[in-house]
């Protein structure tokens, strides 16, 4: 179902770990790694089991947070008896959060396993690592824009890319950062590439797109940023494509900086709203993308170019982007700017217009191979290796031990003065600092507990 009547074109893919050839069953002929499918979509991450575990943890953590949020609304409801409108809003939000959690569990069932989720406190304390700017619900609002109320935005986004593609047939097309899927769908339906490979790493958006491409409908809640009225705080929307996608549109889970795509396999690569949010420097990514295009192939990009990397040198201007394209083996660069609407939900007072930069560039020559993206050291990737005791971690250990010890002194009987006296006796703090420090610690804990329960600060 995921690929709509045609087998997955394995000649367009490669092993993201060793760049070997993928055979039947998504097994690498070189390193023998077998890549699973999740909900019928190939799961092409360099460490497939680790990626599955991490996304599952994100799913459990997010659903637990939804349930906690529903509880906060119920708690607030108990203190809002004097105003019917407030009670109605809180009832709506409480019910919507619980129902939203149920619907997301059903949609993401292919991702989940049979094991029980950990307690919410475990997820909050240990946390779940997220790629920069990418969580499970990153760009969730785009689902409603793409498949419910956003025809004007969808058409504007399609128009600028369609113009940049020109009259030539797109041929074998790779679209990176499929998101909620509407742009990939429109390009496939209206431009009819020979085949289209559409890649992203977000399971929520991809599993939704898979079902919508197949002609199914989904009902999911929209939570507008600035609701226009009480009923707009949580709206159950029906999402559906105009028609099922034609054959030849293939979804794959992949991290674009790992590159599970074959060398010189594509006539066209499209990157909508992508190059400024990935955790690879644009100069390296431009060389990486060059290798996926055939000689003379085209790269079409559209987005706001809002580079936000940690390194100030990588927050490129448009002039620098164009210079990087030339250095990465591209020529015949055509560039334009357009103002288009962005997330203008009819249920929200919050909307904006974006000036997007769209460029088209042709591959002139092969680029030097980019360096591998090193996000984490080996001991974070290989779980059997010892974890080095780094200075920052050692300091954090002491901080956590102190917090745990102070928390252990709270038995329902001791006062602030009693706890402070123990710390002075243990020579942990000076006498004149002990009570202010304990009071400050307890105030933070008290305020956090009230915030978690949805109780406003006094």
């Amino acid at each position: 179902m995921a690929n709509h009547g045609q087998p997955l074109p394995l000649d367009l893919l490669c092993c993201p770990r060793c760049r070997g050839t993928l055979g039947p069953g998504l097994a690498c002929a070189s390193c023998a790694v077998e890549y699973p499918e999740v909900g019928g979509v190939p799961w092409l991450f360099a460490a497939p089991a680790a990626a599955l575990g991490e996304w599952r943890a994100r799913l459990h953590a997010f659903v637990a947070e939804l349930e906690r949020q529903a509880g906060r609304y119920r708690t607030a409801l108990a203190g809002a008896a004097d105003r019917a409108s407030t009670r109605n809003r809180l009832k709506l939000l409480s019910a919507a959060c619980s129902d939203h959690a149920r619907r997301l569990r059903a949609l993401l069932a292919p991702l989940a396993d049979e094991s029980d989720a950990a307690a919410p406190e475990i997820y909050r304390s240990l946390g779940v690592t997220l790629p920069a700017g990418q969580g499970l619900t990153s760009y969730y609002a785009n689902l409603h824009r793409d498949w419910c109320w956003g025809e004007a935005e969808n058409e504007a986004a399609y128009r600028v890319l369609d113009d940049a593609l020109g009259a030539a047939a797109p041929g074998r097309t790779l679209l990176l950062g499929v998101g909620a899927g509407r742009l990939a769908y429109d390009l496939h339906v209206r431009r009819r590439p020979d085949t289209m490979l559409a890649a992203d790493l977000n399971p929520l958006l991809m599993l939704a797109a898979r079902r919508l491409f197949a002609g199914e409908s989904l009902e999911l809640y929209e939570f507008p940023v600035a609701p226009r009225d009480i009923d707009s705080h949580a709206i159950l929307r029906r999402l559906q494509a105009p028609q099922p996608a034609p054959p030849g549109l293939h979804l794959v889970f992949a991290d674009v900086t790992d590159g599970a795509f074959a060398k010189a396999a594509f006539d066209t690569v499209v990157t909508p709203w992508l190059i400024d949010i990935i955790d690879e420097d644009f100069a390296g990514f431009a060389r990486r993308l060059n290798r996926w295009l055939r000689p003379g192939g085209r790269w079409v990009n559209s987005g706001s170019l809002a580079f936000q990397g940690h390194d100030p040198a990588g927050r490129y201007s448009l002039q620098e982007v164009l210079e990087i394209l030339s250095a990465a083996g591209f020529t015949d660069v055509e560039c334009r700017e357009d103002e288009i609407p962005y997330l203008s939900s009819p249920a929200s007072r919050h909307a904006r217009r974006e000036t997007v930069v769209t460029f088209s560039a042709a591959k002139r020559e092969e680029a030097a191979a980019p360096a591998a993206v090193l996000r984490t050291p080996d001991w974070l990737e290989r779980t059997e290796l010892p974890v080095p005791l780094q200075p920052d971690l050692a300091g954090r250990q002491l901080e956590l031990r102190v917090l745990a010890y102070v928390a252990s002194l709270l038995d329902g009987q001791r006062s602030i003065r009693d706890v402070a006296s123990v710390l002075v006796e243990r020579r942990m703090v000076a006498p004149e600092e002990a009570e202010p420090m304990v009071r400050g610690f307890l105030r933070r804990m008290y305020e956090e507990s009230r915030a978690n329960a949805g109780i406003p600060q006094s």
Side-chain angles (χ1 to χ4, degrees):
M1 180 185 294
N3 295 314
H4 312 298
Q6 290 187 350
L8 182 68
L10 294 177
D11 60 316
L12 301 182
L13 298 168
C14 68
C15 172
R17 180 175 297 202
C18 75
R19 308 294 180 258
T21 301
L22 293 180
L26 296 177
C28 178
S30 299
C31 67
V33 173
E34 294 185 7
Y35 296 94
E37 291 189 348
V38 173
V41 181
W43 186 261
L44 300 180
F45 292 98
L52 267 175
E54 192 168 353
W55 280 110
R56 283 169 177 160
R58 296 176 198 180
L59 169 59
H60 291 315
F62 180 67
V63 170
E65 180 57 31
L66 276 175
E67 296 290 7
R68 289 180 67 244
Q69 185 62 54
R72 294 188 194 107
Y73 290 131
R74 289 192 292 270
T75 299
L77 182 60
D82 60 334
R83 192 162 43 247
S85 57
T86 301
R87 291 182 60 81
N88 290 339
R89 174 172 56 82
L90 293 172
K91 286 178 182 178
L92 170 65
L93 286 166
S94 174
C97 282
S98 294
D99 193 32
H100 191 49
R102 179 186 65 81
R103 291 172 185 274
L104 290 184
R105 284 194 198 97
L107 176 61
L108 294 169
L111 179 69
D113 56 13
E114 300 299 323
S115 61
D116 293 332
E121 292 78 12
I122 298 296
Y123 293 112
R124 291 201 301 274
S125 60
L126 293 179
V128 179
T129 59
L130 301 173
Q134 292 289 328
L136 186 65
T137 56
S138 296
Y139 311 107
Y140 171 77
N142 292 9
L143 276 170
H144 301 281
R145 187 271 310 279
D146 283 13
W147 305 107
C148 184
W149 47 254
E151 286 305 314
E153 295 188 28
N154 296 333
E155 183 62 26
Y158 171 79
R159 176 176 48 78
V160 296
L161 277 174
D162 181 57
D163 288 348
L165 284 168
R172 297 166 298 173
T173 301
L174 173 64
L175 189 146
L176 302 175
V178 66
R182 183 56 183 266
L183 186 58
Y185 172 91
D186 285 342
L187 285 170
H188 189 67
V189 169
R190 298 164 73 170
R191 293 301 301 256
R192 295 300 178 103
D194 295 340
T195 189
M196 177 181 283
L197 212 62
D200 206 305
L201 51 69
N202 188 309
L204 172 56
L205 300 182
M206 288 282 279
L207 293 176
R210 169 189 175 273
R211 293 177 57 176
L212 293 163
F213 289 174
E216 300 180 39
S217 63
L218 295 172
E219 289 190 342
L220 293 172
Y221 284 90
E222 179 186 1
F223 297 92
V225 174
R228 291 187 177 274
D229 51 39
I230 286 177
D231 291 341
S232 296
H233 278 75
I235 307 169
L236 186 60
R237 300 284 198 189
R238 186 172 185 268
L239 314 179
Q240 189 164 25
Q243 62 188 44
L249 175 54
H250 303 272
L251 290 170
V252 293
F253 286 110
D255 183 337
V256 301
T257 61
D258 280 338
F261 315 112
K263 186 176 180 180
F266 296 95
D267 303 294
T268 305
V269 178
V270 181
T271 53
W273 301 86
L274 177 80
I275 61 175
D276 52 354
I277 66 169
I278 58 176
D279 56 356
E280 179 177 17
D281 183 79
F282 177 64
F285 180 70
R287 297 200 306 274
R288 187 180 307 282
L289 188 146
N290 173 292
R291 298 168 69 81
W292 301 329
L293 279 168
R294 65 164 177 79
R298 291 178 297 165
W299 177 9
V300 177
N301 175 82
S302 189
S304 55
L305 300 188
F307 291 97
Q308 298 293 325
H310 295 298
D311 183 359
R315 299 172 192 166
Y316 297 115
S317 66
L318 176 56
Q319 178 181 341
E320 292 168 284
V321 166
L322 299 179
E323 292 172 358
I324 288 170
L325 287 173
S326 178
F330 291 94
T331 190
D332 298 331
V333 179
E334 297 181 1
C335 185
R336 58 182 282 182
E337 296 188 37
D338 297 89
E339 187 179 271
I340 64 174
Y342 184 77
L343 293 180
S344 301
S345 170
S348 178
R349 295 188 182 90
H350 181 273
R352 68 179 193 259
R353 298 186 67 83
E354 293 273 353
T355 299
V356 299
V357 176
T358 305
F359 65 72
S360 174
K363 178 175 175 177
R364 178 186 69 240
E365 60 189 11
E366 294 292 333
V373 179
L374 299 177
R375 298 185 184 86
T376 54
D378 285 346
W379 55 267
L380 272 174
E381 296 296 332
R382 295 177 54 193
T383 56
E384 77 278 9
L385 295 179
V387 178
L389 185 57
Q390 302 173 81
D392 288 347
L393 184 58
R396 184 66 173 157
Q397 284 181 332
L398 176 59
E399 176 186 345
L400 293 174
R401 283 199 297 267
V402 171
L403 291 175
Y405 179 67
V406 174
S408 73
L409 297 176
L410 304 176
D411 58 1
Q413 303 297 320
R414 289 188 176 96
S415 65
I416 290 176
R417 182 169 298 174
D418 294 334
V419 173
S421 297
V422 174
L423 298 183
V424 171
E425 182 180 339
R426 295 289 300 270
R427 297 186 178 180
M428 297 176 67
V429 295
E432 61 274 14
E433 297 178 348
E435 287 190 16
M437 291 178 67
V438 173
R439 185 185 295 110
F441 168 74
L442 294 176
R443 180 181 291 112
R444 291 196 304 274
M445 297 300 102
Y446 173 71
E447 291 173 352
E448 287 178 12
S449 68
R450 287 173 64 86
N452 289 336
I455 303 172
Q457 300 299 323
S458 56

